[in-house]
Amino acid sequence: SGISEVPLQVELGRIRHPKVPLEDRVCRLCNLGEIEDTTHFLITCPTFNNLQCKLFNECINYYPHFFSLTPLQKCLFTLSYPSKQITNLIYDMYLKHKSLS
């Protein structure tokens, strides 16, 4: 399973007919009102806070300045760093999202 298989609103709204306007593709799992894209899912959605803490702590092991990155940079780092622990945590987040969707 890849990250593209997570049923995020940013993608679901794109394939619906009629298409859902981008600004309306907000996360249904939290009340932040943010567009549910990969960055929101991995980095900012409070629904996944416990797993995010584990993910961020793992990222700090590889890049001590991880918390100084922007949310998008954090997202790109987590998706591009070849660590089995990071990959497993992202997969755990995927499973939780799938169970809540």
Side-chain angles (χ1 to χ4, degrees):
S1 298
I3 194 77
S4 63
E5 294 180 28
V6 178
L8 301 176
Q9 291 302 315
V10 72
E11 291 301 323
L12 295 175
R14 184 181 60 78
I15 61 174
R16 285 200 180 105
H17 295 285
K19 286 185 180 179
V20 176
L22 181 61
E23 63 273 9
D24 294 336
R25 300 178 203 173
V26 298
C27 180
R28 296 178 180 177
L29 302 179
C30 75
N31 61 1
L32 293 182
E34 293 181 358
I35 293 171
E36 187 188 39
D37 58 12
T38 305
T39 300
H40 175 78
F41 164 62
L42 288 177
I43 308 301
T44 62
C45 185
T47 302
F48 305 98
N49 189 261
N50 289 340
L51 289 167
Q52 288 164 343
C53 287
K54 293 176 185 178
L55 177 66
F56 298 166
N57 285 332
E58 193 60 40
C59 290
I60 288 170
N61 289 333
Y62 298 100
Y63 186 68
H65 303 289
F66 180 78
F67 282 112
S68 67
L69 300 174
T70 67
L72 178 58
Q73 290 170 327
K74 289 175 185 173
C75 181
L76 294 173
F77 180 88
T78 62
L79 293 174
S80 63
Y81 203 86
S83 156
K84 182 127 177 94
Q85 294 88 349
I86 290 173
T87 302
N88 288 341
L89 286 164
I90 292 171
Y91 185 67
D92 289 345
M93 291 174 73
Y94 160 77
L95 292 176
K96 182 172 181 178
H97 189 289
K98 190 175 175 182
S99 75
L100 297 172
S101 297

